[in-house]
Amino acid sequence: MTDAALLSLVVFLPALSAGAIVAFDGENRGAIRRFANLTTLAVVGLLFGLVLPRYLAQSPDEAGYRLVVDLPWVPGWGIGYRLGLDGLSLPLLLLTGVVSHLAMWASAGITKQTKGYLILFLLLETGMLGSFVALDFLLFYVFFEVMLLPMYFLIGLWGGPRKEYAAIKFFLYTLVGSVLMLIVMLMAYAGSSGVAGGATFDLPTLTAIGSGRVDTVEFSGKVQCWAFAMLLIAFLIKLPAVPFHTWLPDAHVEAPTPVSMILAGVLLKVGGYGLLRIAYPLFPLGAAYFADVVVWLGVVSILYGAFVALAQTDFKRLVAYSSVSHMGYVLLGIGIWSPAAADTAAWQMGMNGAVFQMIGHGITSVGMFFLVGVLYDRVKHRDMREMGGLLTVMPRYGGLSIGIFFAAMGLPGLCGFWGEVFPVLAAWSFSPWATVLAATGVILTAGYMLFAVQRIYLGPRYIGPRGEQLVPMTASEKWIAGLVMTAAVVFGVYPRPVFDVAGPAVARITADAQTGVETAEVRKVARAENEATQ
Amino acid sequence: MGGFAWNLFGGWSARDRTSRFAGFVSVGAIATSLACVLAAKFLAGDRLEHDVLSGTYFEVAGFEAYRFGFGYLIDDVTLTMALLVAQVAACVHVFALSYMDDELVEEYVDHEAEHTPDGALRRFGRYDRFFAFLSLFCFAMFGLLLSGSLLQTFVFWELVGATSYFLIGFYNERPEARSAATNAFVVNRVGDAGFLIGLAAFGAAGVDLMSATPEPAVTAFASISADPHDHAEQRHEWQAYKPPTLLTIAALGVFAGCVGKSAQFPLQAWLPRAMAGPTPVSALVHSATMVAAGVYLMARLASLGLLTPMAEAVVTAGAAATIVIGAVCACVQTDLKAVLAYSTISQLGYMLLAIGCGDPDAGMFHLVTHAFFKSLLFLGAGAVIHACHHEQEMTRLGGLRLKMPLTAGAMLVGTLAISGLALPTFGLTASGWLGLSGFYSKDTILEAAHQAAEVREASWIFWVPLVSAGVTAFYMVRMWCGTFLGRTRSDDAGHAHEADWLMLVPLGVLATFAVFAGWFGPDHHGAAEHAVGETLDVPTLGVIAAFAGAGIATALYGFGGWGTDKVFDALGPFRSSLTWGLGFDCLYRKAFVLPGRAVGWVLGLFDRSVIDGLLHRVAELGLAVAMLDRAIDEKLIDGAVDGVAASARSLGRAAAVPQTGRLRQYVVFLAVGVTGAALLVTFWLP
């Protein structure tokens, strides 16, 4: 199988299955579910069985990508069907596959219009997988949009009491981001017209322009600032960062458990990924200009999310706000760039931490939303004031929960730790105050997590309604939570795999950005001299 | 040699983790650890006095200059600490085999938990879980000691905190236990945040404390010199080319971590509450080992010369405040374990005072002796509590010397040791005094304090610990008298019986160490006398203070029984404030926890009303525009269109001529149109 066929298969297999499901009898829920389950499992199998070995066997091309696919799509317009993987997208791609499968597994409780649900679910998976492999701006945009609509319906149709409100809020927020991205995409396209072969949506080429490696074309400083600002808003909405985060708690609270898992585990990562894949490489001057904004929004998100989580009584809302707080570390790690200092080691450390945090948060947030769901399935409420004693009533559930909570809290030896500690340590070189404030976030995190543990799991007995429904976890529930916990421990003890894969990609991004700024400086000086001589 | 140590410690840590199900597995694991450490001590002890063993297990991550490895670093300090931890842990494990036996039931009735509607709480016994956590703690503690880099230290540092959380919250059905667990962890996290900041600052200062590369020159952690005289030089070296402010911030950051972990002022309040855990835990985790980790780390930093004078001053002041607070609060406690807890706080203060005074060796010495006698005291207290059906209020104990003479004897040894009592030998021994271990270590600290007081011209550095030494003797003798002398003051105490041999053996072992451990400490007297001259006879003053404290306590409690404790009632409301640890807990709750939650509430409100409100306004505006648009469409444009329509109709009739209704004609039009458009596109667009 060629790379093109393999990657296309991985990306479009869920969509094809979704098409096949249309032909199924809607009443035969078991069959549809098995089929959909098999599809997500097949994606996981393809990813780990074929894509990963092939990725490791290949050596990167000059732009740093492997398994590169470059087929003409609309050649006249410089649009290509371009796919490829690097150290940034590979971990996220694998995460997407696994999280989708776990979420599919957790979808057993969805009995309302199962057929429609599964079709949308699989379309969503294609959108997510596609976003992480696309190397063409337009293709990325298309996949980005493909994620949006299924998500809207999944929340809006299968959600909780305020599902319509949450769905439309999610939709409009993200749509604003999409529109901004569309504008930037056209700006980049128009700006790249001087390149050999005409204007293009090819991300590696655009990256080369951004980093000043193309002599004939450059994005001017002003254009870069505008473009970066718009992209920043687009991806901050997705991430989400304060103040663009208010769609998240609503969406999470209303979304059914598996959709929450996907939303927190994968969709939020698209924001961080977009910043790293598009915003920073294409517009380093803009990034340098807005470095302060990125870092401080990160710090504010960490603290803001943690503070609000501290005051929550709804279990799921608490987890949702903890996501805001945790994704703040991603933003912090990505943002700590001081272009004036030519040494990017600290930035690399922060950015690696950010990538790790995306994976780590992918693991822990999926686990936490799943655990919320397990509980909600039984007692049909999420009010933490009416809980307690679950460690005694459901010992295994309690034990796994506390483990996953601690992983999210950033306890060393579990996967939340590295993603927190590296951005915080690295932030010192940007501003000691950023480190100090972000480190304070660690206290707040411990506060709300332990407070939740105390209220939900500890204590003599369960004090809420429907206590008799608290049956032990089923086998598949144990499996899902157990797998999440295992992943949390493995990556906590031995985080090397992620750093090994992501490290070179991060080094390239930082080096490109640094070169971009320096080249722009050189060109400016040269222009000034030119004018002086004339 | 390196390979030997690698295997040794690798196997050792793995063993501790595997023990999950029963106490004897756990005891076996810790016994193996002890055997390994002893083997290491005898096989490699000599070599380690002048050398270090270090290496890397694996590299966690590396970003250009920043490299983070997981490794090990073993020198004689590590070995001493490991030996200490293994010994105390082994004793505590054996003790717990018997102490926790009431958990060996299918249905455990917990009378202290909140009552359910059906009476006292019933749950399954958790003997296995207890030992699992105890072993996990030992693993984390050994990991902390052996770690090869500061970042790795931080990893295990947090892990011991987490296991401590589980152990404090062992009786999680009891409200005070679960809130104490949360409280302890959060307070520890406050310190850890400081630690993290310190790590970042060290990184920025270029102190390569994060790597575990084997070359000692590269790893600051490995460059601990065996010769104390090198420390001063090293310090000058560091400070010569590192920005001192940054180093101060870094050192104070790490110190903040120690303040959290070692329960120092102002974060001391969690330790007394942590006594809600089972007593063996208090003996191991909250007196001998984990809380001493902070002291250990500071001693390491200090011997590296990483403490700037400014940092030393802060450490000294904090330690002095802790000593006083701990000692004063301990005097008025009526709970057996609470006395010991405050005493621990105070003694940890002594250790840090020594470090602040520039004599980390003295601090480490006191750490070792304190570990022995404090775990002895805690285990003794545990034996009493176990015998008296979990009664630990001294007002309801008393007269136990007859029922449990062996325990009473062991506790007396501990009491005398911590009080620092000694007898003059008039030249028969080198120091001129013969005492239990606590005397020697406290004396070295007092010497160090005296020296520092002279150098820094601040006499309180010496007087505070001296007077507090007297107070220490007072509250310890008071505790012993209150428990073992007088008459029994409750039925539970009346039915007490001597502990079984599983408890007595560890007590005996620890008592032996409590007596002798001090005889092998570092000999500082020569140097101290040389430096200070004969102005003050420090040991004599120390002994006088101790005897004064002990004498007052004996006079009050030795004969009259507990009734004389009423003297403290004279303090009025201040007494209850002291009993509750001067209200730090309450203060922090009011100053940080509640405002924190309030801020969270306000921000949540901000989300809902301001940000969402803004969005809703925008949405309404959009809707209004849409309505207006519709109105314009319907009224204006449609109206116009209707008007136009009439004229259009006539035009339409004219246009209808080519519409012949023939399919072929349509196809031709379509083809021409598409081709034209395609041509246009091809020519006009790139």
Side-chain angles (χ1 to χ4, degrees):
Chain A
M1 205 181 331
T2 61
D3 290 342
L6 177 61
L7 281 186
S8 306
L9 182 65
V10 167
V11 171
F12 290 106
L13 184 66
L16 292 175
S17 315
I21 286 179
V22 175
F24 273 70
D25 173 16
E27 290 308 302
N28 194 352
R29 288 211 190 91
I32 307 180
R33 198 167 277 145
R34 270 194 297 279
F35 183 72
N37 228 323
L38 206 65
T39 308
T40 52
L41 187 64
V43 171
V44 175
L46 283 174
L47 285 175
F48 282 90
L50 288 174
V51 174
L52 185 61
R54 202 176 279 201
Y55 176 87
L56 295 175
Q58 287 188 11
S59 52
D61 70 356
E62 60 186 39
Y65 295 100
R66 306 181 208 197
L67 276 79
V68 178
V69 177
D70 190 354
L71 299 173
W73 184 15
V74 190
W77 293 72
I79 304 170
Y81 179 68
R82 302 186 178 98
L83 309 176
L85 286 174
D86 70 348
L88 201 60
S89 44
L90 181 78
L92 290 167
L93 191 69
L94 299 180
L95 178 79
T96 307
V98 174
V99 168
S100 297
H101 183 57
L102 289 181
M104 178 58 82
W105 207 351
S107 300
I110 307 283
T111 47
K112 177 183 155 192
Q113 294 172 336
T114 316
K115 188 171 159 182
Y117 172 85
L118 292 175
I119 290 172
L120 289 169
F121 187 106
L122 290 171
L123 284 177
L124 176 66
E125 190 180 357
T126 287
M128 297 186 297
L129 292 167
S131 304
F132 289 129
V133 295
L135 284 189
D136 186 276
F137 205 159
L138 192 98
L139 193 61
F140 177 83
Y141 179 77
V142 169
F143 282 123
F144 193 83
E145 293 291 298
V146 168
M147 285 190 295
L148 181 58
L149 224 58
M151 201 63 187
Y152 168 73
F153 285 113
L154 284 172
I155 298 173
L157 290 177
W158 284 270
R162 291 172 73 225
K163 56 192 175 193
E164 289 88 359
Y165 172 74
I168 197 79
K169 200 167 172 185
F170 164 79
F171 188 81
L172 289 179
Y173 250 117
T174 320
L175 200 64
V176 170
S178 300
V179 169
L180 292 174
M181 190 157 77
L182 181 68
I183 297 170
V184 174
M185 187 169 81
L186 296 175
M187 280 167 79
Y189 178 74
S192 70
S193 56
V195 81
T200 179
F201 288 103
D202 183 34
L203 280 177
T205 312
L206 293 175
T207 306
I209 298 173
S211 63
R213 278 185 274 124
V214 180
D215 294 329
T216 48
V217 202
E218 63 175 332
F219 301 134
S220 76
K222 206 170 183 181
V223 166
Q224 292 209 21
C225 286
W226 276 104
F228 185 84
M230 283 192 274
L231 278 184
L232 188 65
I233 293 176
F235 292 126
L236 287 188
I237 289 173
K238 203 86 196 168
L239 198 60
V242 176
F244 307 109
H245 65 287
T246 57
W247 63 270
L248 184 84
D250 284 311
H252 267 309
V253 168
E254 301 308 325
T257 303
V259 177
S260 277
M261 289 164 72
I262 297 244
L263 189 59
V266 182
L267 251 63
L268 306 189
K269 276 68 194 176
V270 178
Y273 176 76
L275 282 177
L276 290 175
R277 170 67 74 236
I278 298 175
Y280 273 81
L282 264 54
F283 310 111
L285 291 180
Y289 186 78
F290 286 109
D292 281 318
V293 177
V294 176
V295 168
W296 292 111
L297 277 184
V299 172
V300 167
S301 294
I302 293 171
L303 296 177
Y304 195 105
F307 267 122
V308 183
L310 205 58
Q312 294 306 316
T313 52
D314 183 313
F315 194 1
K316 211 168 179 184
R317 251 192 137 73
L318 177 130
V319 180
Y321 272 108
S322 86
S323 281
V324 176
S325 177
H326 283 134
M327 294 312 278
Y329 289 101
V330 174
L331 201 53
L332 176 66
I334 291 175
I336 43 169
W337 177 30
S338 358
D343 182 21
T344 58
W347 192 25
Q348 283 187 39
M349 179 168 150
M351 202 183 270
N352 268 298
V355 174
F356 193 89
Q357 176 76 345
M358 289 203 258
I359 304 297
H361 179 258
I363 296 169
T364 57
S365 65
V366 163
M368 283 169 68
F369 278 114
F370 176 70
L371 294 166
V372 175
V374 168
L375 190 59
Y376 186 77
D377 284 347
R378 284 165 176 69
V379 297
K380 305 287 176 221
H381 81 98
R382 291 185 298 255
D383 191 340
M384 292 194 294
R385 288 166 297 188
E386 298 191 341
M387 288 186 185
L390 291 183
L391 196 57
T392 320
V393 186
M394 304 165 69
R396 208 151 288 172
Y397 172 72
L400 282 168
S401 303
I402 292 179
I404 291 171
F405 264 74
F406 275 34
M409 203 169 81
L411 197 74
L414 299 169
C415 64
F417 175 67
W418 302 109
E420 264 181 39
V421 78
F422 282 144
V424 171
L425 289 183
W428 186 278
S429 67
F430 185 86
S431 156
W433 288 109
T435 295
V436 171
L437 288 173
T440 323
V442 172
I443 307 171
L444 294 173
T445 312
Y448 68 75
M449 289 283 182
L450 292 175
F451 192 58
V453 166
Q454 188 181 332
R455 291 218 271 199
I456 299 167
Y457 300 105
L458 307 185
R461 63 182 197 285
Y462 174 76
I463 50 171
R466 298 191 196 80
E468 71 286 349
Q469 308 275 345
L470 284 169
V471 288
M473 290 169 103
T474 63
S476 66
E477 284 172 342
K478 266 184 229 163
W479 266 103
I480 297 173
L483 281 174
V484 171
M485 189 68 223
T486 314
V489 174
V490 168
F491 284 108
V493 175
Y494 196 69
R496 264 297 275 288
V498 176
F499 290 127
D500 278 350
V501 169
V506 166
R508 177 174 280 272
I509 294 170
T510 52
D512 276 358
Q514 191 69 33
T515 326
V517 170
E518 281 161 11
T519 317
E521 199 60 37
V522 171
R523 283 179 184 166
K524 203 164 145 191
V525 174
R527 262 198 304 272
E529 279 172 3
N530 254 343
E531 275 166 28
T533 47
Q534 279 164 11
Chain B
M1 199 66 207
F4 161 72
W6 175 306
N7 288 334
L8 184 74
F9 295 114
W12 169 11
S13 44
R15 251 166 220 287
D16 275 61
R17 257 183 300 192
T18 53
S19 53
R20 262 180 218 136
F21 298 107
F24 65 86
V25 182
S26 199
V27 172
I30 196 71
T32 316
S33 302
L34 180 59
C36 288
V37 187
L38 280 174
K41 175 87 184 161
F42 287 118
L43 292 177
D46 290 340
R47 211 196 125 164
L48 284 174
E49 265 178 37
H50 304 287
D51 208 356
V52 290
L53 283 178
S54 64
T56 315
Y57 299 134
F58 62 86
E59 195 176 271
V60 174
F63 322 112
E64 295 189 357
Y66 299 100
R67 312 215 76 87
F68 303 91
F70 257 37
Y72 57 89
L73 188 145
I74 301 151
D75 61 1
D76 56 338
V77 184
T78 316
L79 207 56
T80 314
M81 276 297 284
L83 193 61
L84 168 82
V85 171
Q87 280 168 342
V88 174
C91 290
V92 169
H93 274 73
V94 174
F95 182 88
L97 280 179
S98 169
Y99 183 85
M100 297 304 289
D101 58 6
D102 55 354
E103 289 279 350
L104 278 173
V105 284
E106 280 298 311
E107 200 175 62
Y108 180 87
V109 184
D110 193 341
H111 295 284
E112 287 176 51
E114 288 159 61
H115 281 228
T116 57
D118 327 319
L121 179 96
R122 284 157 198 284
R123 59 172 171 82
F124 50 91
R126 289 192 292 230
Y127 196 70
D128 53 345
R129 206 183 282 180
F130 175 79
F131 278 101
F133 286 135
L134 209 56
S135 280
L136 187 66
F137 169 76
C138 291
F139 161 68
M141 190 66 210
F142 283 128
L144 175 74
L145 296 179
L146 295 176
S147 75
S149 63
L150 204 54
L151 186 77
Q152 193 184 352
T153 308
F154 182 70
V155 166
F156 285 105
W157 182 267
E158 289 226 324
L159 270 185
V160 289
T163 43
S164 148
Y165 167 81
F166 289 122
L167 287 166
I168 299 172
F170 182 72
Y171 299 114
N172 75 66
E173 290 84 359
R174 301 177 185 171
E176 77 277 6
R178 59 175 185 269
S179 69
T182 307
N183 179 296
F185 204 163
V186 173
V187 171
N188 265 302
R189 270 265 163 149
V190 174
D192 291 349
F195 198 152
L196 206 53
I197 296 168
L199 275 181
F202 268 133
V207 179
D208 192 10
L209 290 163
M210 296 166 188
S211 76
T213 36
E215 301 90 66
V218 179
T219 316
F221 224 42
S223 62
I224 298 162
S225 164
D227 184 2
H229 294 293
D230 283 358
H231 296 162
E233 280 172 33
Q234 250 173 5
R235 171 196 305 226
H236 290 306
E237 239 172 77
W238 278 116
Q239 287 166 11
Y241 67 97
K242 301 294 173 204
T245 333
L246 204 54
L247 269 187
T248 306
I249 294 172
L252 288 181
V254 176
F255 178 59
C258 301
V259 164
K261 189 115 309 186
S262 293
Q264 295 293 295
F265 172 79
L267 297 179
Q268 81 283 28
W270 69 269
L271 188 62
R273 295 184 64 186
M275 295 300 129
T279 308
V281 173
S282 313
L284 179 62
V285 182
H286 301 119
S287 67
T289 54
M290 185 189 88
V291 289
V295 178
Y296 167 75
L297 188 64
M298 284 314 278
R300 280 254 145 145
L301 287 189
S303 54
L304 285 175
L306 286 176
L307 289 188
T308 53
M310 177 68 195
E312 278 190 343
V314 173
V315 172
T316 313
T322 313
I323 293 174
V324 174
I325 291 173
V328 172
C329 290
C331 287
V332 299
Q333 301 300 322
T334 55
D335 184 313
L336 196 52
K337 284 176 78 177
V339 177
L340 293 175
Y342 279 107
S343 144
T344 305
I345 292 176
S346 178
Q347 300 300 315
L348 289 168
Y350 273 101
M351 300 172 204
L352 281 169
L353 183 83
I355 292 166
C357 292
D359 191 353
D361 288 346
M364 288 301 290
F365 183 30
H366 195 54
L367 194 165
V368 173
T369 57
H370 172 261
F372 286 124
F373 57 67
K374 188 50 69 64
S375 53
L376 167 68
L377 286 166
F378 261 114
L379 290 188
V384 168
I385 292 166
H386 191 251
C388 301
H389 301 110
H390 291 272
E391 184 56 68
Q392 55 193 63
E393 277 292 311
M394 281 193 285
T395 48
R396 296 170 56 77
L397 293 171
L400 290 172
R401 70 187 180 288
L402 300 174
K403 315 253 184 210
M404 344 177 45
L406 293 174
T407 309
M411 287 279 274
L412 186 61
V413 171
T415 305
L416 295 180
I418 192 176
S419 306
L421 292 171
L423 294 170
T425 55
F426 305 106
L428 285 179
T429 55
S431 64
W433 295 91
L434 180 67
L436 305 187
S437 58
F439 161 73
Y440 296 101
S441 54
K442 203 170 279 183
D443 181 49
T444 19
I445 292 178
L446 288 176
E447 302 260 13
H450 184 225
Q451 216 172 332
E454 300 261 313
V455 174
R456 297 181 204 167
E457 293 174 348
S459 55
W460 57 267
I461 297 179
F462 177 60
W463 292 110
V464 164
L466 182 68
V467 173
S468 301
V471 181
T472 307
F474 170 78
Y475 65 71
M476 287 313 297
V477 173
R478 166 179 177 269
M479 184 203 84
W480 191 82
C481 294
T483 311
F484 294 104
L485 298 186
R487 50 184 183 79
T488 50
R489 291 183 286 272
S490 74
D491 286 346
D492 283 334
H495 298 143
H497 50 84
E498 184 57 273
D500 60 17
W501 63 272
L502 272 177
M503 294 194 186
L504 286 175
V505 169
L507 283 180
V509 172
L510 286 174
T512 318
F513 282 118
V515 173
F516 298 113
W519 295 1
F520 308 105
D523 187 21
H524 276 233
H525 299 280
E529 274 161 29
H530 178 71
V532 183
E534 292 296 322
T535 48
L536 264 176
D537 190 0
V538 175
T540 316
L541 280 178
V543 172
I544 291 172
F547 268 110
I552 297 171
T554 319
L556 276 175
Y557 299 99
F559 311 104
W562 194 251
T564 42
D565 199 46
K566 290 203 175 63
V567 287
F568 286 116
D569 290 349
L571 292 172
F574 192 56
R575 169 171 188 166
S576 73
S577 153
L578 280 179
T579 313
W580 294 109
L582 288 169
F584 275 95
D585 240 12
C586 190
L587 179 72
Y588 290 150
R589 197 179 154 70
K590 286 197 180 123
F592 298 112
V593 179
L594 295 181
R597 216 166 278 169
V599 168
W601 186 80
V602 170
L603 290 181
L605 202 67
F606 184 78
D607 264 14
R608 260 172 289 133
S609 44
V610 179
I611 299 185
D612 277 0
L614 199 69
L615 286 177
H616 294 163
R617 291 300 93 71
V618 171
E620 278 164 20
L621 192 69
L623 210 61
V625 170
M627 300 278 269
L628 189 70
D629 195 27
R630 181 182 162 183
I632 291 171
D633 254 22
E634 286 175 356
K635 302 272 158 56
L636 275 174
I637 300 185
D638 282 4
V641 170
D642 284 346
V644 173
S647 49
R649 220 165 286 140
S650 59
L651 196 73
R653 274 187 214 105
V657 178
Q659 294 187 8
T660 54
R662 289 187 202 145
L663 193 65
R664 197 181 297 165
Q665 240 169 343
Y666 281 143
V667 172
V668 171
F669 279 128
L670 207 67
V672 170
V674 170
T675 319
L679 283 174
L680 247 143
V681 166
T682 327
F683 283 108
W684 284 89
L685 293 167

